[in-house]
Coordinates of all heavy atoms in Angstrom, one line a residue:
M4 N 0.9 -1.2 -0.1 CA 0.1 0.0 0.0 C 0.9 1.2 0.0 O 1.8 1.4 0.8 CB -0.9 -0.1 1.2 CG -1.8 1.1 1.2 SD -3.0 0.9 2.7 CE -4.4 1.9 2.2
A5 N 0.6 2.3 -0.9 CA 1.4 3.4 -1.1 C 1.1 4.5 0.0 O -0.1 4.5 0.5 CB 1.2 4.0 -2.4
T6 N 2.0 5.2 0.4 CA 1.7 6.4 1.3 C 1.0 7.4 0.6 O 1.2 7.7 -0.6 CB 3.2 6.9 1.8 OG1 3.8 5.9 2.5 CG2 3.0 8.1 2.7
V7 N 0.1 8.0 1.2 CA -0.6 9.1 0.7 C -0.4 10.4 1.4 O -0.4 10.4 2.6 CB -2.2 8.8 0.6 CG1 -3.0 9.8 0.1 CG2 -2.5 7.4 0.0
V8 N -0.1 11.5 0.6 CA 0.2 12.8 1.2 C -0.7 13.7 0.5 O -1.5 13.5 -0.4 CB 1.6 13.2 1.0 CG1 2.6 12.3 1.5 CG2 1.9 13.4 -0.7
Q9 N -1.0 14.9 1.2 CA -1.8 15.9 0.7 C -1.0 16.9 -0.1 O 0.2 17.2 0.2 CB -2.5 16.7 1.9 CG -3.7 15.9 2.4 CD -4.4 16.9 3.4 OE1 -3.9 17.8 3.9 NE2 -5.6 16.6 3.6
C10 N -1.6 17.3 -1.2 CA -0.9 18.4 -2.1 C -0.8 19.6 -1.2 O -1.8 20.1 -0.6 CB -1.8 18.6 -3.4 SG -1.2 19.9 -4.4
P11 N 0.4 20.2 -1.2 CA 0.5 21.4 -0.4 C -0.3 22.6 -0.8 O -0.7 23.5 0.0 CB 2.1 21.8 -0.6 CG 2.7 20.6 -1.0 CD 1.6 19.8 -1.7
C12 N -0.7 22.6 -2.0 CA -1.5 23.8 -2.7 C -3.0 23.5 -2.4 O -3.8 24.4 -1.9 CB -1.2 24.0 -4.1 SG 0.4 24.7 -4.3
C13 N -3.6 22.4 -3.0 CA -4.9 22.2 -3.0 C -5.5 21.2 -1.9 O -6.7 21.0 -1.9 CB -5.4 21.8 -4.4 SG -4.9 20.2 -4.9
K14 N -4.7 20.5 -1.3 CA -4.9 19.5 -0.2 C -5.5 18.2 -0.9 O -6.0 17.4 0.0 CB -5.9 20.1 0.8 CG -5.3 21.4 1.4 CD -4.0 21.3 2.0 CE -3.5 22.5 2.8 NZ -2.1 22.6 2.7
K15 N -5.5 18.0 -2.1 CA -6.0 16.8 -2.7 C -5.0 15.7 -2.3 O -3.8 15.9 -2.1 CB -6.0 16.9 -4.2 CG -6.5 15.6 -4.9 CD -6.2 15.7 -6.4 CE -7.3 16.5 -7.1 NZ -7.1 16.4 -8.6
D16 N -5.6 14.5 -2.0 CA -4.7 13.4 -1.7 C -3.8 12.9 -2.9 O -4.4 12.8 -4.1 CB -5.5 12.1 -1.3 CG -6.1 12.2 0.1 OD1 -5.6 13.2 0.9 OD2 -7.0 11.5 0.4
V17 N -2.5 12.6 -2.6 CA -1.6 12.2 -3.7 C -0.8 10.9 -3.3 O -0.2 11.0 -2.2 CB -0.5 13.3 -3.9 CG1 0.4 13.0 -5.0 CG2 -1.2 14.6 -4.3
P18 N -1.0 9.9 -3.9 CA -0.3 8.6 -3.6 C 1.3 8.9 -3.9 O 1.6 9.5 -5.0 CB -0.8 7.6 -4.6 CG -1.4 8.3 -5.7 CD -1.8 9.7 -5.2
W19 N 2.1 8.5 -3.0 CA 3.5 8.6 -3.2 C 4.1 7.5 -3.8 O 4.6 6.6 -3.3 CB 4.1 8.8 -1.8 CG 5.6 9.4 -1.8 CD1 6.7 8.7 -2.0 CD2 5.9 10.8 -1.8 NE1 7.8 9.5 -2.0 CE2 7.3 10.8 -1.9 CE3 5.2 11.9 -1.8 CZ2 8.0 11.9 -2.0 CZ3 5.9 13.2 -1.7 CH2 7.3 13.1 -1.9
T20 N 3.9 7.5 -5.2 CA 4.4 6.4 -6.0 C 5.1 7.0 -7.3 O 4.9 8.2 -7.6 CB 3.2 5.7 -6.6 OG1 2.4 6.5 -7.4 CG2 2.4 5.0 -5.5
P21 N 5.9 6.2 -8.0 CA 6.6 6.7 -9.2 C 5.8 7.3 -10.2 O 6.1 8.1 -10.9 CB 7.4 5.5 -9.7 CG 7.5 4.5 -8.4 CD 6.3 4.8 -7.6
E22 N 4.5 6.8 -10.2 CA 3.5 7.2 -11.2 C 3.0 8.6 -10.9 O 2.5 9.3 -11.8 CB 2.4 6.4 -11.3 CG 2.6 5.0 -11.9 CD 3.3 4.0 -10.8 OE1 3.0 4.2 -9.7 OE2 3.9 3.2 -11.3
S23 N 3.2 9.1 -9.7 CA 2.8 10.5 -9.4 C 3.9 11.4 -9.7 O 4.8 11.7 -8.9 CB 2.4 10.6 -7.9 OG 1.4 9.7 -7.5
L24 N 3.9 12.0 -10.9 CA 5.0 12.7 -11.5 C 5.4 13.9 -10.8 O 6.5 14.4 -10.7 CB 4.8 13.0 -13.0 CG 4.7 11.8 -13.9 CD1 4.3 12.3 -15.3 CD2 5.9 10.9 -13.8
W25 N 4.4 14.6 -10.1 CA 4.6 15.9 -9.5 C 4.5 15.9 -8.0 O 4.5 16.9 -7.3 CB 3.4 16.8 -10.0 CG 3.2 16.9 -11.4 CD1 2.2 16.4 -12.1 CD2 4.2 17.4 -12.5 NE1 2.4 16.4 -13.6 CE2 3.5 17.1 -13.7 CE3 5.4 18.0 -12.3 CZ2 4.2 17.4 -14.8 CZ3 5.9 18.3 -13.6 CH2 5.5 18.1 -14.8
R26 N 4.6 14.7 -7.4 CA 4.6 14.5 -6.0 C 5.6 15.5 -5.3 O 6.7 15.7 -5.9 CB 4.8 13.1 -5.6 CG 6.1 12.6 -5.8 CD 6.3 11.1 -5.5 NE 7.6 10.7 -5.6 CZ 8.0 9.7 -6.5 NH1 7.1 9.0 -7.1 NH2 9.3 9.3 -6.7
P27 N 5.4 16.1 -4.3 CA 4.1 15.9 -3.4 C 3.0 16.7 -3.9 O 1.9 16.7 -3.3 CB 4.5 16.5 -2.1 CG 5.4 17.6 -2.4 CD 6.3 17.1 -3.7
F28 N 3.1 17.3 -5.0 CA 2.0 18.0 -5.7 C 1.0 17.1 -6.5 O 1.5 16.1 -7.0 CB 2.4 19.3 -6.6 CG 3.2 20.2 -5.8 CD1 4.6 20.1 -5.8 CD2 2.7 21.2 -5.0 CE1 5.5 21.0 -5.1 CE2 3.5 22.1 -4.3 CZ 4.9 22.0 -4.3
C29 N -0.2 17.5 -6.7 CA -1.1 16.7 -7.5 C -1.0 16.9 -9.0 O -1.3 16.1 -9.7 CB -2.6 16.9 -7.1 SG -3.2 18.5 -7.4
S30 N -0.4 18.0 -9.4 CA -0.3 18.4 -10.7 C 0.8 19.4 -11.0 O 1.2 20.0 -10.0 CB -1.7 19.0 -11.3 OG -1.9 20.2 -10.6
E31 N 1.1 19.6 -12.2 CA 2.1 20.6 -12.6 C 1.6 22.0 -12.2 O 2.3 22.8 -11.8 CB 2.5 20.5 -14.2 CG 3.5 21.5 -14.4 CD 4.0 21.5 -16.0 OE1 3.2 20.9 -16.7 OE2 5.0 21.9 -16.2
R32 N 0.3 22.2 -12.4 CA -0.4 23.5 -12.1 C -0.1 23.9 -10.6 O 0.3 24.8 -10.3 CB -1.9 23.4 -12.4 CG -2.6 24.7 -12.1 CD -4.0 24.6 -12.4 NE -4.7 25.9 -12.1 CZ -5.6 26.0 -11.0 NH1 -5.9 24.9 -10.3 NH2 -6.1 27.1 -10.8
C33 N -0.3 22.9 -9.6 CA -0.1 23.1 -8.2 C 1.4 23.4 -8.0 O 1.8 24.2 -7.1 CB -0.7 22.1 -7.4 SG -2.4 22.1 -7.1
K34 N 2.3 22.6 -8.7 CA 3.6 22.8 -8.5 C 4.1 24.2 -8.9 O 5.0 24.8 -8.2 CB 4.5 21.8 -9.3 CG 6.0 21.9 -9.3 CD 6.6 20.8 -10.1 CE 8.1 21.1 -10.2 NZ 8.8 20.1 -11.2
Q35 N 3.6 24.6 -10.0 CA 3.9 26.0 -10.5 C 3.4 27.1 -9.6 O 4.1 28.2 -9.4 CB 3.5 26.1 -11.9 CG 4.2 25.3 -12.9 CD 5.7 25.7 -13.1 OE1 6.1 26.7 -12.9 NE2 6.4 24.6 -13.4
A36 N 2.2 26.8 -9.1 CA 1.6 27.8 -8.2 C 2.4 28.0 -6.9 O 2.6 29.2 -6.4 CB 0.2 27.4 -7.9
D37 N 2.9 26.9 -6.4 CA 3.8 26.9 -5.3 C 5.2 27.7 -5.5 O 5.5 28.5 -4.8 CB 4.0 25.5 -4.7 CG 4.8 25.5 -3.4 OD1 4.2 25.8 -2.5 OD2 6.0 25.1 -3.5
L38 N 5.7 27.3 -6.7 CA 6.9 27.9 -7.1 C 6.7 29.5 -7.3 O 7.6 30.3 -6.9 CB 7.4 27.4 -8.4 CG 8.7 28.1 -9.0 CD1 9.8 27.9 -8.1 CD2 9.0 27.4 -10.4
G39 N 5.6 29.9 -7.8 CA 5.3 31.4 -8.0 C 5.2 32.0 -6.6 O 5.6 33.2 -6.4
A40 N 4.6 31.3 -5.6 CA 4.5 31.9 -4.3 C 5.9 32.1 -3.7 O 6.1 33.1 -3.1 CB 3.7 31.0 -3.4
W41 N 6.8 31.2 -4.0 CA 8.1 31.3 -3.4 C 8.8 32.5 -4.0 O 9.5 33.3 -3.4 CB 9.0 30.0 -3.7 CG 8.8 29.1 -2.5 CD1 8.1 27.9 -2.7 CD2 9.4 29.0 -1.2 NE1 8.1 27.3 -1.4 CE2 8.9 27.9 -0.6 CE3 10.2 30.0 -0.6 CZ2 9.3 27.6 0.7 CZ3 10.6 29.6 0.7 CH2 10.0 28.5 1.3
A42 N 8.6 32.6 -5.4 CA 9.2 33.8 -6.2 C 8.7 35.1 -5.7 O 9.5 36.1 -5.7 CB 9.0 33.5 -7.7
Q43 N 7.4 35.1 -5.4 CA 6.9 36.3 -4.8 C 7.1 36.7 -3.3 O 6.6 37.6 -2.7 CB 5.4 36.4 -5.2 CG 5.1 36.4 -6.6 CD 3.5 36.3 -6.9 OE1 2.8 36.3 -6.0 NE2 3.3 36.3 -8.2
E44 N 8.0 35.8 -2.8 CA 8.3 35.9 -1.3 C 7.0 35.8 -0.4 O 7.0 36.4 0.6 CB 9.1 37.0 -1.1 CG 10.4 37.0 -1.8 CD 11.4 38.1 -1.5 OE1 11.0 39.1 -0.8 OE2 12.5 38.1 -2.0
K45 N 6.1 35.1 -0.8 CA 4.9 34.9 0.1 C 5.1 33.9 1.3 O 4.3 34.0 2.3 CB 3.6 34.3 -0.7 CG 3.2 35.4 -1.8 CD 1.9 34.9 -2.5 CE 1.4 35.9 -3.4 NZ 0.2 35.5 -4.2
Y46 N 6.2 33.2 1.2 CA 6.5 32.3 2.3 C 7.8 32.9 3.1 O 8.6 33.5 2.4 CB 7.0 31.0 1.9 CG 6.0 30.1 1.0 CD1 6.2 29.6 -0.1 CD2 4.7 30.0 1.5 CE1 5.3 28.8 -0.9 CE2 3.7 29.3 0.8 CZ 4.1 28.7 -0.5 OH 3.2 28.0 -1.1
S47 N 7.7 32.9 4.3 CA 8.8 33.4 5.1 C 8.8 32.7 6.5 O 7.9 32.0 6.8 CB 8.6 34.9 5.5 OG 7.4 35.1 6.2
I48 N 10.0 32.7 7.0 CA 10.3 32.1 8.4 C 10.4 33.2 9.3 O 11.3 34.0 9.3 CB 11.5 31.1 8.3 CG1 11.3 30.1 7.3 CG2 11.8 30.6 9.7 CD1 12.6 29.2 7.0
P49 N 9.4 33.3 10.3 CA 9.5 34.4 11.2 C 10.8 34.3 12.1 O 11.1 33.3 12.5 CB 8.2 34.3 12.0 CG 7.7 32.9 11.8 CD 8.3 32.5 10.5
S50 N 11.2 35.5 12.5 CA 12.5 35.5 13.4 C 12.3 36.5 14.4 O 11.8 37.5 14.2 CB 13.7 35.8 12.5 OG 14.8 36.1 13.3
T51 N 12.7 36.2 15.6 CA 12.6 37.1 16.7 C 14.0 37.7 17.0 O 14.1 38.7 17.7 CB 12.1 36.5 17.9 OG1 13.0 35.4 18.2 CG2 10.7 35.9 17.9
A52 N 15.0 37.2 16.4 CA 16.3 37.7 16.6 C 16.6 38.9 15.7 O 16.2 39.0 14.6 CB 17.3 36.6 16.2
Q53 N 17.1 40.0 16.4 CA 17.4 41.2 15.6 C 18.9 41.2 15.3 O 19.7 40.8 16.1 CB 17.1 42.4 16.5 CG 15.6 42.5 16.9 CD 14.8 42.8 15.8 OE1 15.1 43.5 14.9 NE2 13.7 42.1 15.7
P54 N 19.2 41.7 14.1 CA 20.6 41.7 13.6 C 21.4 42.8 14.4 O 20.8 43.8 14.8 CB 20.5 42.0 12.2 CG 19.3 42.8 12.1 CD 18.3 42.3 13.0
D55 N 22.6 42.5 14.7 CA 23.5 43.4 15.4 C 23.7 44.7 14.4 O 24.0 44.5 13.2 CB 24.9 42.6 15.6 CG 25.9 43.6 16.4 OD1 25.5 44.7 16.9 OD2 27.1 43.2 16.5
P56 N 23.5 45.9 14.9 CA 23.7 47.0 14.0 C 25.0 47.1 13.4 O 25.1 47.5 12.2 CB 23.5 48.2 15.0 CG 22.7 47.7 16.2 CD 23.0 46.2 16.2
G57 N 26.1 46.6 13.9 CA 27.3 46.5 13.3 C 27.4 45.6 12.2 O 28.4 45.7 11.3
E58 N 26.5 44.6 12.0 CA 26.5 43.8 10.8 C 25.7 44.3 9.7 O 25.8 43.8 8.5 CB 25.8 42.4 11.3 CG 26.6 41.7 12.3 CD 26.0 40.4 12.8 OE1 24.9 40.0 12.2 OE2 26.4 39.6 13.7
L59 N 24.9 45.4 9.9 CA 24.2 45.9 8.7 C 25.0 46.8 7.8 O 25.8 47.5 8.3 CB 23.1 46.8 9.3 CG 21.9 46.1 10.1 CD1 21.0 47.1 10.7 CD2 21.1 45.1 9.2
P60 N 24.7 46.7 6.5 CA 25.4 47.7 5.6 C 25.1 49.1 6.0 O 24.0 49.3 6.6 CB 24.9 47.3 4.2 CG 23.9 46.1 4.4 CD 23.8 45.9 5.9
P61 N 26.0 50.0 5.7 CA 25.8 51.4 6.1 C 24.4 52.0 5.7 O 23.8 52.8 6.3 CB 27.0 52.2 5.5 CG 28.0 51.1 5.2 CD 27.2 49.8 5.1
E62 N 24.0 51.6 4.4 CA 22.7 52.2 4.0 C 21.4 51.8 4.7 O 20.4 52.4 4.6 CB 22.5 51.9 2.4 CG 22.4 50.4 2.1 CD 23.8 49.7 1.9 OE1 24.9 50.3 2.1 OE2 23.7 48.6 1.4
L63 N 21.5 50.7 5.5 CA 20.4 50.2 6.3 C 20.6 50.6 7.8 O 19.7 50.3 8.6 CB 20.4 48.7 6.2 CG 20.1 48.2 4.8 CD1 20.1 46.6 4.8 CD2 18.7 48.6 4.3
Q64 N 21.7 51.2 8.1 CA 21.8 51.6 9.5 C 21.1 53.0 9.8 O 20.8 53.8 9.0 CB 23.3 51.8 9.9 CG 23.9 50.5 9.9 CD 25.4 50.6 10.4 OE1 25.9 51.6 10.8 NE2 26.1 49.4 10.3

């Protein structure tokens, strides 16, 4: 029995098999939509650490 994962974009069930060409996505469309979101910087990892002012370039200080 194959493992089944959810498509990160549309949440459709996707079997984790060699026949699922776009895994973990269900289709090329969902894969491209996710890539577009990364390119537009819609995903980020929140940080609570503040950079040391000495590490910033002069134009950002």
Side-chain angles (χ1 to χ4, degrees):
M4 182 174 207
T6 299
V7 176
V8 297
Q9 283 190 335
C10 175
C12 287
C13 70
K14 307 301 183 210
K15 181 191 281 187
D16 286 343
V17 179
W19 195 270
T20 63
E22 292 79 26
S23 300
L24 298 177
W25 310 109
R26 66 181 183 242
F28 302 97
C29 67
S30 65
E31 184 177 18
R32 180 175 178 255
C33 281
K34 179 183 172 186
Q35 293 298 329
D37 186 72
L38 178 61
W41 276 103
Q43 294 175 0
E44 298 182 356
K45 291 184 177 180
Y46 300 131
S47 64
I48 299 172
S50 173
T51 57
Q53 298 296 319
D55 181 14
E58 296 177 3
L59 293 175
E62 62 270 9
L63 296 177
Q64 290 184 9

